[in-house]
Amino acid sequence: MNQAFPDVNTFLAMRQSLAPDRHRPRYHFLPPANWMNDPNGLIHWRGEYHLFYQHNPYAARHHRIHWGHAVSSDLVHWRDLPIALTPSPDHADKDGCWSGCAVVHDGIPTLFYSGVFPQTVCMATSTDGMVIWQKHEHNPVISTVPEGIEAGDPWEFRDPFLWQEGDHWYLLMGTRLVGKGGAILLYRSVDLTNWDYLHPLLCGDAQQLEPYWTGTIWECPNFFRVGDRYVLLVSFQHHETGTLLYTGWFSGDFTGEQFTPQAQGILEYGAHFYAPQILRDEHGRILMWGWLWEARTPGAQEAAGWAGVMSLPRVLDVAEGGELVVSPAPELKSLRQNHWHGEDIEVGEETAVYPLSQIQGDSLEIVVEIEPGQTAVFGLSVRCSPDGAEATHLICDLAHGQFTIDRENASLSRDVVRYVSPAHQVVRAAPLSLTSQRTIRLHVFLDRSVIEVFLDGRATLSSRIYPSRPDSLGVQLFCRQGDRVVFKSVDVWQMASIWAV
Ligand code: DQQ
């Protein structure tokens, strides 16, 4: 079938035609149309943030993946650039240009990505300021798994991540060790084209369920230094079912090319966030984006004409004990409009539900500080319809020490996938015990079908909801068990759109 190749001149028209869709986010990045998954090639270069992404420009399903490309100077508003990588017939990437990263070597911007099939490492460079990319004439630069690594048949070997240290470049690959678990492999080079395999940086154990299961393939590694600690991010997949699980972090020491983790945890508890990638910006901050996948049937995604949203940019830091600290990028504050503030709102006893009647909206930022007292279950509901038929509840449950997003009644639509895999059930609830102080702080970003929650800076949860009713716009505070709870402060802003359509 001959299809017109999308170019920058058609991107605006594509965005315009999808803009009336009530589920389409307004201040999260997503492509002009069709499919997106992992963020790729994140880099801050010459004052601009470049965001590449796994993209099928022809349909809202994962197929023959290209690299889409957008650029931003303020981290908030994005401009579409031409598609950066397209699979080429007779090339190592003929079946798709899967995930990878961007670096600048001797002044030359260079993309590393996964050619499929078989899975290999390919390279592309740009000499025009990161718009047009030339594939390396000797692709693939790594054509097979290292000797002695049994990565399956066909092998699972993808998602190159690079960083520079002294005179050396290092490269990480995600893989699978048959019968053992996922693993991240470490390579070294001086020139980016000749790579020596060193050893596994870290291996998982698929038999081990504590503190959480790490699946049977490890994907999308990221490795970075904060102070004197190194942090590894890994996304875990269950190979046998193809289930994408969640992303874990490990922090510790990297000496003599050996990584020794000293702390570990789950990066995101929401069950809709995967394959994040980081960049270190020109101010020295570590910023991260992840892919927020859909929770609608494949048919509903294709009918909508778009699928996949990028998370908001998040700032990563490491606390004294080695734990990862995550917060929303402060630049997002520039989108705030129409502020509403309330304080010392008591909920409970006679009023178990307290509607914030002044507030209606599906594009909101909400910050609440709660003093729980003896109360066991309390929280915030968003996207509530006036008759209560639809609502999404953000629940703090002190008795169980958990925070969850309950989207059971978020939508009356049959197109919504409510099923959550058993593996996800385990991590869907963020531990409230992570918070040491008595006041609980929930920082919520609601953007139509997207919810992102930052819990006291220590845990994040993202979810997808698709309320069917146009009047599901209400916000309520609630207290379900115990006597009463005091919402010390409630701040709500309407959020502006980042698109000019
Ligand atoms: N998505 C990419 C792979 C990666 C996976 C393919 C993670 O490179 O391992 O689109 O979502």
Side-chain angles (χ1 to χ4, degrees):
M1 190 171 40
N2 269 333
Q3 286 169 304
F5 192 76
D7 64 63
V8 271
N9 301 319
T10 55
F11 289 155
L12 185 64
M14 291 159 96
R15 289 196 182 279
Q16 270 163 346
S17 77
L18 291 173
D21 184 329
R22 286 192 294 110
H23 299 306
R24 201 164 148 88
R26 299 171 70 236
Y27 63 92
H28 281 73
F29 177 80
L30 74 182
N34 296 314
W35 174 269
M36 178 179 76
N37 55 302
D38 316 350
N40 291 151
L42 299 176
I43 191 162
H44 194 200
W45 189 64
R46 297 186 174 165
E48 289 191 308
Y49 294 95
H50 287 261
L51 166 60
F52 300 84
Y53 52 90
Q54 294 281 280
H55 184 39
N56 175 3
Y58 300 115
R61 70 188 145 91
H62 188 275
H63 178 68
R64 252 186 116 242
I65 293 295
H66 297 50
W67 276 36
H69 187 188
V71 72
S72 169
S73 51
D74 64 2
L75 214 51
V76 175
H77 300 89
W78 297 91
R79 184 163 51 88
D80 293 310
L81 289 180
I83 285 176
L85 295 175
T86 300
S88 308
D90 305 322
H91 195 88
D93 63 15
K94 64 181 175 11
D95 295 317
C97 304
W98 285 15
S99 287
C101 65
V103 294
V104 176
H105 179 54
D106 290 341
I108 300 175
T110 306
L111 302 180
F112 275 78
Y113 64 102
S114 313
V116 292
F117 289 102
Q119 299 181 8
T120 59
V121 178
C122 294
M123 225 174 113
T125 50
S126 170
T127 51
D128 73 341
M130 292 207 189
V131 179
I132 309 286
W133 295 88
Q134 284 87 28
K135 293 179 185 173
H136 191 255
E137 55 176 338
H138 298 304
N139 273 345
V141 290
I142 301 178
S143 59
T144 182
V145 290
E147 220 169 286
I149 297 288
E150 216 193 310
D153 182 14
W155 63 64
E156 309 285 347
F157 180 65
R158 54 183 179 264
D159 310 336
F161 178 87
L162 275 77
W163 82 102
Q164 197 173 23
E165 203 138 327
D167 294 336
H168 288 124
W169 282 98
Y170 290 96
L171 177 151
L172 299 178
M173 287 295 278
T175 193
R176 156 184 186 224
L177 303 179
V178 174
K180 295 187 179 130
I184 301 299
L185 307 179
L186 177 65
Y187 289 73
R188 189 180 59 202
S189 170
V190 285
D191 59 9
L192 290 189
T193 47
N194 297 292
W195 291 95
D196 294 322
Y197 171 64
L198 300 179
H199 45 253
L201 185 79
L202 195 67
C203 296
D205 178 353
Q207 301 303 317
Q208 199 176 315
L209 302 180
E210 299 294 336
Y212 48 84
W213 190 50
T214 63
T216 52
I217 299 181
W218 284 12
E219 308 188 287
C220 303
N222 285 245
F223 198 58
F224 55 94
R225 194 159 67 102
V226 178
D228 56 1
R229 305 224 190 212
Y230 282 78
V231 178
L232 174 69
L233 305 182
V234 182
S235 293
F236 307 125
Q237 193 198 123
H238 183 209
H239 174 252
E240 289 68 17
T241 58
T243 307
L244 308 179
L245 300 172
Y246 32 78
T247 303
W249 60 263
F250 302 85
S251 73
D253 182 52
F254 183 66
T255 312
E257 297 173 337
Q258 302 284 345
F259 179 51
T260 314
Q262 287 142 354
Q264 71 181 97
I266 297 260
L267 183 64
E268 243 272 351
Y269 292 86
H272 287 95
F273 176 99
Y274 197 70
Q277 193 174 96
I278 61 110
L279 64 78
R280 186 184 298 278
D281 76 3
E282 289 169 351
H283 317 294
R285 293 183 300 180
I286 302 288
L287 296 169
M288 177 186 75
W289 287 257
W291 164 41
L292 302 174
W293 68 60
E294 300 297 324
R296 295 197 277 187
T297 58
Q301 294 178 37
E302 287 214 46
W306 62 278
V309 178
M310 211 51 87
S311 74
L312 295 172
R314 302 175 180 187
V315 181
L316 297 188
D317 209 342
V318 178
E320 270 201 7
E323 304 87 19
L324 215 58
V325 181
V326 187
S327 54
E331 283 89 337
L332 296 164
K333 289 181 185 162
S334 67
L335 295 171
R336 290 174 171 176
Q337 297 175 326
N338 306 336
H339 182 208
W340 182 87
H341 175 76
E343 55 192 37
D344 293 324
I345 303 172
E346 287 190 21
V347 186
E349 289 169 349
E350 275 139 54
T351 348
V353 173
Y354 184 100
L356 299 180
S357 47
Q358 303 86 336
I359 295 160
Q360 290 275 297
D362 58 8
S363 293
L364 303 174
E365 179 183 352
I366 306 172
V367 180
V368 284
E369 292 197 339
I370 312 167
E371 228 168 59
Q374 297 306 309
T375 299
V377 180
F378 53 87
L380 179 74
S381 306
V382 294
R383 304 296 313 261
C384 307
S385 64
D387 64 355
E390 290 186 335
T392 300
H393 309 294
L394 313 182
I395 306 172
C396 300
D397 180 342
L398 285 192
H400 296 97
Q402 289 184 338
F403 176 84
T404 48
I405 299 179
D406 174 2
R407 54 189 197 96
E408 200 54 41
N409 296 314
S411 174
L412 297 170
S413 164
R414 286 204 202 150
D415 290 334
V416 175
V417 177
R418 289 181 183 77
Y419 168 80
V420 179
S421 79
H424 282 119
Q425 301 279 12
V426 180
V427 298
R428 264 174 79 218
L432 261 182
S433 55
L434 285 177
T435 66
S436 52
Q437 61 275 62
R438 264 180 57 78
T439 307
I440 291 175
R441 187 170 191 273
L442 297 181
H443 194 161
V444 181
F445 291 90
L446 174 66
D447 189 7
R448 294 186 162 178
S449 58
V450 172
I451 299 184
E452 291 189 58
V453 182
F454 295 78
L455 182 61
D456 283 328
R458 288 298 164 86
T460 52
L461 294 92
S462 306
S463 197
R464 303 298 307 276
I465 52 168
Y466 308 86
S468 64
R469 293 179 44 154
D471 60 354
S472 290
L473 298 170
V475 180
Q476 300 175 344
L477 312 177
F478 67 84
C479 166
R480 289 190 194 155
Q481 284 170 29
D483 48 3
R484 68 186 185 106
V485 60
V486 182
F487 289 80
K488 291 299 292 173
S489 65
V490 181
D491 289 280
V492 186
W493 294 266
Q494 301 282 345
M495 295 293 268
S497 168
I498 62 171
W499 307 108
V501 292

